[in-house]
Amino acid sequence: METRSKAFNKPRGFRKTLLASSISSLLIAPALVQAQDEPMLEEIVVTGVYASQLNAVNTKRDAASVVDAISAEDIGKLPDVTIADSLQRIPGIQVERTAGEGGPVQIRGLANVATSLNGETFLSATTIDSSGADFGDLPSQLFSGADVYKSPLATLSTLGISGTVDLKTRRPFDLDNGFTASASVEVDRGSISEETDPTVSGLIGWNNDNVGFLVSAVTTEKNLATDYNGYFDTSENGGIGAANNNYTWGAPPVNQDIYHVVPQGFAAFNKVEERQRDGLNLSFQAQLSEGVELVVDHFYSKQDRWNRRAGMSHNNRWQTFNNYAFAQEGSLVRDRFDYNGQEWGTVNAFEARPYRLQSFSQVNYNEEESNNSSAELNFDNGGALTGQVRVTRATAEAKMRHGYVEGDLMSIDQGTLVTGPGGLRPAGDCTGDNAVPGTAVGEDGGCFVQYSPNSIEDTDFLIGYDASGEHPVFTGFDQTVSGGLGEMSVADYMADPRAYHVGAMSSENNTNDEGEMNTFSTRWNYEFSDSPFITSVDFGLRQSERKVEHEVFSYFAEFDDTGCQAQWKAVDQFAGTSECDPDKQQGEFLVDENGDPVLDDDGNQVFENYTLIPPIAIDQYNDVVWVDDLGPVSGVPGVWAVDPRALDDTLAYQESVFGEQVRFPQPGQSYSVGLDEFSYFAQANFAVGDDITGNLGVKVVETDLTVVQNEVGGGVPHSGVSYDIGDVVTRRSYTDVLPSLNVAWDATDTLKFRLGYGETMQPLDLLTWGGAKSVGRVFNDDCQCMRVTGGSLSGNPELDPTRAKNYDLSAEWYAGDASVLSATLFQIEIDSFVQSGTVVIDEPDADGIRRGPWEFTAPVQGTGGKVNGLELAAKVAFGDFTGGALENFGFDVNYTLSESSQDAVGVEGKELPFVNNSEDTYNIVGWFENNYLSARLAYNFRSPRLISVGGPALAEQALYQDDYGQLDLNVTWDVTDELALYVNGSNITEEFQQTYLEFEDQKAFQNIYEARWALGARYTF
């Protein structure tokens, strides 16, 4: 056995991949950008903080609708690893964090965001089957900027409900004539992970005004640490899916006059996500003839992520909620609300009975890869008619592999709240001295082997959990308990690797996603030179074909001695079930020490099925690590856990323990969807005098939808999956007519007013159409079977896409070249809205008995909702107004109010906001720049956001993330015209994410994010 302390934090080492070698040989890098002479909206890509702000101001001023932008220096100057981190500086943008980095993006409180790349739909590996925007796999160094369209235009290739993000990459003609090259190297380090991670990136390009090429690439490694504490949950960012109440499965022994939440358990984990991210952008541009230009682009992105966690879990082993955890004295706040005639209180501190105390190790490995290719011909011979013909092809793959191992400290042999109910193994596993004392034996030599000879044997000690302070406090580990190692404290047992045994291991809910999208489009503009009102018209058409395959599966072990198969390789899984081989022995009749039959109450000899897995020591097949660095949570002495790195290749690990694995699909979550759209548009651009401009357009989208779902049968023994009994194919078509109007009035040379209206339609997340039924089951002592605990209906192909009407009214004062003050009122009316609801299904338990009905979550058709809001923004460069000491300073501040409402209600009928919407968001950025030094300090804040809505078991109490604010820093020193050194700091005050259940004093869990510091150098050739 090898033991190491938190060894799973150690990086794999910098990889000499082909991409990294190419970067080194080319000495190329991300950030050389040159000025152009064309007016906006053509991108003016220049260097310097002032210039980047100037660029954003000009983009906004000259846009045909409500638009905000970021440019290359915005991306490169701040410590922005992903595009999402840069977009959060824009008014109305809200970003969710995964492992501390920016990931999914919302605009004005809604996740229904469309994404395009250089003006055409973009397929990302993180959003293959979703309608949202998640840029976590995209290196920011490859992009020259991004425009965010908040009011619809008929000319946009794709429309989101709340907006469209158009990502921009560099092209050869963006650069000066001749060769251009630059290179950068960066190392960064986290305050928790304490690992030094490299990033190498670069760019090389050449053009002569008639032809050019460009190659830019980046490779990066990150070890992002996030400590977790609170309600026991195994999802990557935490949740409340397993929480119930003190009346679940029976009346509680105490506090019978009041209901309150009871989590499935309490946990403290050390989490580290290792990310290896590569990106490549290729571009070729050629002037084929006078007025005909060819542009060919290819964008490649690949990311490997290992989300590793290890730590302590105390939970109810799925045996009871009503008799597991009780409110500590003084922690129960009564009479908070009424639900179905029952009084509910809130609780923030518990005492929990020892059903299960364990170490827990888990790895989610994600492999994400996408290719987006585009070829376009642009026609402009200087005449009235200009146009484009374009084809694109995109493919994306995403794979996730999940594995976990539980190291149990409580005996299952004797002396605890959960003993037995099996443990009988064939004679080959019986040595004569490893049987549980006083137990019967099998007629064929089998015995009840000791699975946990050195574990705790005690039923009375209580573990305390108190979340009333800033960080949780655990207590009770100093109590003296009995067990296989004698009488000593719980902490002493936790410190001895011999006290652990493997309670369960599994690899389940693994996923494979494949997406493909092909488009053909042509768009044209005809300009009227003498028209007094209509200045030009845009028209075009587009055909897109999108196909997605989503597969969910688990790995099953096949046990040769019984012919049984099991997803859950656990001490509470037994032979004799339907999928086992009836020609093989499944167990034995029991006899006592004298060889006489053991009889049941009816006088029949007792037959006992074999336990599927033999006893397994925690260090038998892998290294173990001592985990005691759990962040700011206190009271946990530490645990020995399976080194999560052993689970990086979960299939190889399962095979090393149990031999060849069988891949078993989960039909309730697997599906395929085909989505074909044919759209055409016309837009008239108009002007009234010199002061009023605008556009009036309409876009028609004809959609053909094909959904293939799986029909779900009964549950497969020893697993959480069901049998696939056939396919259900649904085909439907619908047509949307989407008008849009944008009007701009230049009241003065510096004051502009805008009015925008548009209707939008966006397809649903494909799981919402394609998913089927999934049933949750756990083992129960009373029936000796897997009992239903609830479930979900993941999809409904008859649901409508999301449709909305958007209204914008804005005022913009351009006080200087790089200074603007703006205010925007907006409203988004959701006409058709899918929301989470519940249905009641009387699903049978594994023994065929129906003990329901049970509540299943399901997507249901809502009647709509609304977002009303206000955006206030000020970009100010003091150099626009004054010289002297303030000339080199500036700021960029904004505030967004986003008030959402819908028909869905929560506790006591309170109207719920939209999921993930923060009502208040603001950014404060201050900057300084002279000829040698630039510095920016940026603070981003968002108010509480709804994460998920609780079901009836929680009296509809919802999970919220509390306020979160983060401070970032960038300082750059231009040593020469070619060389720049910089320091980036991210989350430099080490903020953490706190969640709560409905009430701020009822805390659920925390994610502790680390501060990260980077030191880098950029060189331009």
Side-chain angles (χ1 to χ4, degrees):
M1 175 186 74
E2 179 183 348
T3 61
R4 291 175 286 155
S5 178
K6 262 178 56 178
F8 62 97
N9 285 353
K10 301 300 180 186
R12 295 172 172 270
F14 188 51
R15 300 157 296 135
K16 290 188 177 180
T17 61
L18 176 61
L19 182 58
S21 300
S22 300
I23 294 172
S24 300
S25 63
L26 290 172
L27 290 177
I28 58 177
L32 181 67
V33 288
Q34 304 291 332
Q36 293 183 1
D37 295 330
E38 289 85 350
M40 298 300 289
L41 277 171
E42 293 296 325
E43 189 80 326
I44 304 173
V45 188
V46 292
T47 60
V49 181
Y50 177 90
S52 68
Q53 185 158 304
L54 172 68
N55 191 16
V57 169
N58 286 336
T59 298
K60 184 177 185 68
R61 186 171 194 166
D62 296 334
S65 62
V66 179
V67 174
D68 284 293
I70 53 175
S71 66
E73 281 299 304
D74 284 319
I75 298 172
K77 281 284 189 178
L78 287 169
D80 296 329
V81 179
T82 70
I83 285 290
D85 291 298
S86 297
L87 288 171
Q88 69 177 341
R89 318 295 176 190
I90 288 178
I93 299 289
Q94 299 173 351
V95 172
E96 293 179 48
R97 298 198 166 272
T98 56
E101 286 188 348
V105 171
Q106 296 91 39
I107 298 179
R108 293 173 170 176
L110 291 172
N112 307 79
V113 176
T115 304
S116 58
L117 179 67
N118 298 319
E120 183 51 83
T121 304
F122 173 71
L123 187 59
S124 168
T126 56
T127 53
I128 290 176
D129 58 352
S130 80
S131 60
D134 184 347
F135 305 130
D137 63 326
L138 304 181
S140 63
Q141 295 91 340
L142 296 183
F143 296 93
S144 64
D147 292 342
V148 179
Y149 293 84
K150 299 177 181 177
S151 61
L153 285 168
T155 55
L156 291 175
S157 63
T158 180
L159 294 173
I161 296 301
S162 57
T164 299
V165 178
D166 183 31
L167 304 175
K168 296 183 176 182
T169 59
R170 298 178 181 88
R171 288 172 167 174
F173 289 175
D174 296 338
L175 308 177
D176 279 346
N177 286 356
F179 276 100
T180 298
S182 99
S184 72
V185 178
E186 175 182 301
V187 292
D188 69 334
R189 186 175 179 87
S191 61
I192 299 176
S193 62
E194 297 182 344
E195 300 296 339
T196 301
D197 302 316
T199 297
V200 180
S201 57
L203 177 147
I204 187 168
W206 175 86
N207 78 84
N208 64 1
D209 280 342
N210 293 315
V211 67
F213 71 89
L214 181 149
V215 180
S216 59
V218 59
T219 184
T220 184
E221 296 187 3
K222 302 289 182 185
N223 286 274
L224 308 170
T226 308
D227 292 321
Y228 174 93
N229 59 73
Y231 291 3
F232 175 55
D233 188 272
T234 61
S235 55
E236 289 194 7
N237 288 318
I240 55 169
N244 272 268
N245 66 71
N246 60 325
Y247 266 85
T248 299
W249 299 346
V254 297
N255 295 322
Q256 294 187 355
D257 60 334
I258 192 167
Y259 282 67
H260 63 77
V261 64
V262 175
Q264 197 247 327
F266 309 93
F269 297 134
N270 180 278
K271 296 195 302 180
V272 176
E273 178 156 303
E274 180 183 351
R275 297 184 175 186
Q276 298 177 354
R277 184 186 293 127
D278 296 327
L280 178 67
N281 178 46
L282 306 175
S283 184
F284 173 80
Q285 208 166 1
Q287 199 70 37
L288 300 182
S289 65
E290 186 69 28
V292 181
E293 179 193 55
L294 171 67
V295 182
V296 179
D297 298 314
H298 182 78
F299 187 91
Y300 170 80
S301 178
K302 185 178 189 300
Q303 179 172 251
D304 294 303
R305 296 189 292 122
W306 291 266
N307 186 284
R308 306 184 185 101
R309 72 175 61 195
M312 184 275 297
S313 166
H314 187 289
N315 62 73
N316 67 358
R317 202 185 180 101
W318 291 109
Q319 296 302 304
T320 177
F321 283 94
N322 58 301
N323 201 23
Y324 165 57
F326 314 108
Q328 290 187 20
E329 185 176 352
S331 69
L332 180 60
V333 180
R334 295 176 174 273
D335 197 22
R336 294 301 291 266
F337 64 95
D338 180 88
Y339 181 76
N340 290 341
Q342 302 152 352
E343 180 189 342
W344 275 74
T346 59
V347 60
N348 219 9
F350 296 87
E351 290 182 329
R353 301 181 68 202
Y355 278 89
R356 192 171 219 171
L357 176 62
Q358 61 181 184
S359 65
F360 186 86
S361 300
Q362 175 180 287
V363 172
N364 288 339
Y365 167 61
N366 292 267
E367 181 182 353
E368 299 151 345
E369 186 172 19
S370 63
N371 286 274
N372 286 263
S373 300
S374 170
E376 62 187 72
L377 286 172
N378 298 309
F379 301 93
D380 185 358
N381 62 3
L385 183 65
T386 59
Q388 180 190 86
V389 176
R390 185 174 186 178
V391 293
T392 69
R393 174 170 174 77
T395 60
E397 294 184 0
K399 301 176 182 178
M400 192 280 289
R401 300 294 183 265
H402 168 81
Y404 69 85
V405 180
E406 299 171 349
D408 284 1
L409 279 157
M410 303 299 298
S411 173
I412 66 160
D413 302 324
Q414 58 189 1
T416 60
L417 294 173
V418 181
T419 55
L424 183 72
R425 291 292 299 165
D429 288 341
C430 301
T431 63
D433 59 359
N434 65 342
V436 179
T439 55
V441 296
E443 281 187 338
D444 298 318
C447 67
F448 288 89
V449 299
Q450 296 183 68
Y451 280 79
S452 45
N454 299 314
S455 297
I456 297 173
E457 299 172 8
D458 201 297
T459 61
D460 297 327
F461 71 97
L462 299 176
I463 295 299
Y465 171 83
D466 187 346
S468 59
E470 184 178 21
H471 301 291
V473 177
F474 285 87
T475 56
F477 296 106
D478 57 348
Q479 298 172 80
T480 299
V481 294
S482 300
L485 298 177
E487 290 195 0
M488 55 185 186
S489 70
V490 178
D492 289 336
Y493 269 93
M494 296 169 73
D496 195 326
R498 297 174 301 165
Y500 297 77
H501 66 279
V502 172
M505 66 175 66
S506 180
S507 177
E508 57 199 55
N509 295 322
N510 304 297
T511 61
N512 283 336
D513 287 284
E514 294 184 0
E516 177 182 314
M517 183 165 58
N518 301 301
T519 73
F520 168 83
S521 63
T522 182
R523 58 182 60 237
W524 298 84
N525 175 272
Y526 189 85
E527 184 175 342
F528 300 100
S529 58
D530 299 324
S531 172
F533 181 65
I534 304 296
T535 59
S536 67
V537 293
D538 292 288
F539 55 93
L541 59 85
R542 178 176 179 271
Q543 174 72 41
S544 72
E545 299 174 350
R546 180 183 177 192
K547 184 177 181 181
V548 170
E549 300 277 350
H550 179 73
E551 178 192 20
V552 180
F553 64 92
S554 298
Y555 289 123
F556 279 55
E558 186 162 5
F559 297 91
D560 292 337
D561 52 352
T562 59
C564 301
Q565 295 179 336
Q567 166 196 307
W568 293 321
K569 299 88 172 178
V571 295
D572 55 7
Q573 300 297 308
F574 310 102
T577 50
S578 58
E579 94 296 348
C580 299
D581 187 345
D583 295 328
K584 293 185 177 182
Q585 187 170 356
Q586 303 297 307
E588 300 178 26
F589 286 100
L590 299 184
V591 296
D592 61 21
E593 58 186 4
N594 298 318
D596 297 325
V598 176
L599 306 178
D600 61 20
D601 293 340
D602 297 326
N604 300 314
Q605 188 174 6
V606 175
F607 183 86
E608 186 77 18
N609 289 313
Y610 291 133
T611 298
L612 290 183
I613 70 170
I616 301 174
I618 192 175
D619 56 358
Q620 188 169 336
Y621 293 98
N622 45 255
D623 296 334
V624 294
V625 291
W626 175 247
V627 183
D628 60 355
D629 185 0
L630 300 168
V633 66
S634 61
V636 181
V639 290
W640 285 103
V642 170
D643 185 349
R645 299 180 76 83
L647 309 177
D648 282 356
D649 185 341
T650 187
L651 176 59
Y653 181 79
Q654 300 286 327
E655 290 176 337
S656 71
V657 180
F658 296 108
E660 184 177 357
Q661 301 287 294
V662 178
R663 182 164 153 167
F664 208 110
Q666 170 55 287
Q669 296 174 335
S670 302
Y671 58 85
S672 65
V673 174
L675 187 70
D676 296 342
E677 291 183 339
F678 176 66
S679 62
Y680 41 95
F681 71 89
Q683 178 175 289
N685 307 301
F686 59 84
V688 180
D690 295 329
D691 302 328
I692 297 177
T693 58
N695 54 77
L696 175 64
V698 63
K699 184 174 187 176
V700 180
V701 184
E702 300 175 0
T703 305
D704 294 321
L705 176 67
T706 303
V707 180
V708 180
Q709 298 172 288
N710 295 297
E711 196 168 356
V712 177
V716 179
H718 315 302
S719 77
V721 305
S722 301
Y723 290 107
D724 184 352
I725 59 175
D727 290 341
V728 177
V729 180
T730 302
R731 294 182 175 89
R732 55 183 292 218
S733 300
Y734 53 87
T735 299
D736 289 272
V737 180
L738 307 172
S740 63
L741 171 67
N742 291 278
V743 180
W745 173 36
D746 288 305
T748 70
D749 289 342
T750 60
L751 184 61
K752 181 187 288 281
F753 294 94
R754 296 183 190 271
L755 173 68
Y757 168 79
E759 297 183 18
T760 56
M761 180 279 297
Q762 189 174 20
L764 303 177
D765 289 345
L766 301 189
L767 175 63
T768 308
W769 275 325
K773 180 171 67 176
S774 298
V775 182
R777 298 180 176 91
V778 300
F779 185 83
N780 183 266
D781 280 340
D782 294 336
C783 70
Q784 294 287 288
C785 68
M786 301 299 292
R787 280 186 57 172
V788 175
T789 60
S792 64
L793 301 176
S794 301
N796 178 356
E798 298 301 329
L799 293 171
D800 291 331
T802 306
R803 298 183 172 99
K805 297 180 177 68
N806 298 60
Y807 305 86
D808 287 270
L809 178 63
S810 69
E812 302 160 7
W813 177 38
Y814 294 89
D817 290 341
S819 301
V820 60
L821 278 69
S822 63
T824 303
L825 292 170
F826 64 86
Q827 183 179 88
I828 304 174
E829 294 180 355
I830 309 295
D831 296 330
S832 58
F833 195 72
V834 176
Q835 60 194 44
S836 178
T838 57
V839 295
V840 176
I841 299 176
D842 194 7
E843 188 76 18
D845 293 330
D847 59 1
I849 299 176
R850 299 180 184 271
R851 297 180 175 90
W854 301 97
E855 293 167 343
F856 280 58
T857 60
V860 297
Q861 196 77 59
T863 57
K866 185 182 296 184
V867 180
N868 296 301
L870 168 69
E871 295 173 354
L872 300 174
K875 294 179 183 289
V876 174
F878 288 113
D880 286 347
F881 312 104
T882 184
L886 292 178
E887 181 180 9
N888 298 321
F889 289 87
F891 62 81
D892 182 356
V893 299
N894 58 70
Y895 165 78
T896 303
L897 172 67
S898 177
E899 296 179 326
S900 62
S901 61
Q902 58 177 319
D903 288 343
V905 296
V907 170
E908 294 190 313
K910 183 179 70 174
E911 191 175 74
L912 289 171
F914 289 166
V915 172
N916 288 323
N917 177 45
S918 291
E919 186 170 304
D920 301 292
T921 308
Y922 62 82
N923 288 278
I924 302 174
V925 180
W927 55 265
F928 167 84
E929 180 181 51
N930 61 22
N931 292 331
Y932 307 102
L933 186 70
S934 65
R936 283 198 282 188
L937 194 62
Y939 182 74
N940 174 266
F941 171 87
R942 63 182 302 180
S943 62
R945 66 178 176 94
L946 173 64
I947 298 176
S948 62
V949 180
L954 297 177
E956 315 293 345
Q957 294 180 89
L959 178 66
Y960 291 86
Q961 176 189 304
D962 208 347
D963 295 343
Y964 182 81
Q966 179 169 310
L967 185 64
D968 301 329
L969 170 70
N970 167 261
V971 178
T972 300
W973 174 33
D974 293 318
V975 182
T976 67
D977 289 342
E978 295 80 20
L979 176 64
L981 304 178
Y982 62 88
V983 174
N984 288 335
S986 176
N987 190 28
I988 61 178
T989 55
E990 298 185 304
E991 301 299 325
F992 63 91
Q993 176 202 67
Q994 176 69 63
T995 65
Y996 59 86
L997 191 62
E998 193 65 37
F999 302 93
E1000 290 185 15
D1001 61 347
Q1002 189 167 240
K1003 299 176 182 178
F1005 57 85
Q1006 296 178 341
N1007 282 299
I1008 311 297
Y1009 297 136
E1010 64 180 350
R1012 296 193 67 84
W1013 292 93
L1015 177 64
R1018 290 189 292 265
Y1019 193 86
T1020 303
F1021 299 89

